Amino acid sequence: MINIDLKGCIMSTKVLTAHVPLPLAEKIDLLAARLERSRGWIVKQALTAWVDQEEERRSLTLEALGDVDAGRVIDHQAVQAWAASLGTDAPLALPQ
């Protein structure tokens, strides 16, 4: 299928089918009615947000693994001691 986006650009699309629990489908219908949008629009917005979130999670995970490989880590016991000291009369400095 071919659609035209809001900027007038031609976009190819693909129909995806998914079975969703009835309570979720009803919530989508209510949102669509309240926002005066189609169910498809609601689902596309949700999928876009989820995919963006997963891409960000993967990027942050790869960055963190790079820090571990490079030795840029903080000892777990040091973090636990710091956290335990918070809210006391003598909180420890942030571990380095």
Side-chain angles (χ1 to χ4, degrees):
M1 177 180 272
I2 296 180
N3 289 320
I4 298 177
D5 71 9
L6 295 176
K7 296 177 184 173
C9 298
I10 296 175
M11 306 176 30
S12 295
T13 62
K14 181 177 184 176
V15 174
L16 301 176
T17 303
H19 290 267
V20 297
L22 190 54
L24 179 57
E26 290 169 350
K27 287 180 181 181
I28 291 169
D29 287 341
L30 289 172
L31 278 170
R34 188 173 74 228
L35 298 173
E36 297 180 355
R37 296 288 191 159
S38 68
R39 274 182 266 166
W41 186 88
I42 299 292
V43 171
K44 187 169 83 171
Q45 296 299 310
L47 280 173
T48 299
W50 182 79
V51 167
D52 290 347
Q53 178 184 8
E54 288 303 309
E55 289 173 343
E56 178 70 8
R57 184 187 325 262
R58 177 164 171 68
S59 174
L60 291 172
T61 298
L62 292 174
E63 180 182 338
L65 290 172
D67 286 341
V68 170
D69 289 344
R72 292 185 297 266
V73 295
I74 299 173
D75 181 70
H76 180 69
Q77 290 176 335
V79 173
Q80 283 186 314
W82 168 76
S85 76
L86 297 176
T88 68
D89 291 335
L92 296 175
L94 187 65
Q96 299 293 325

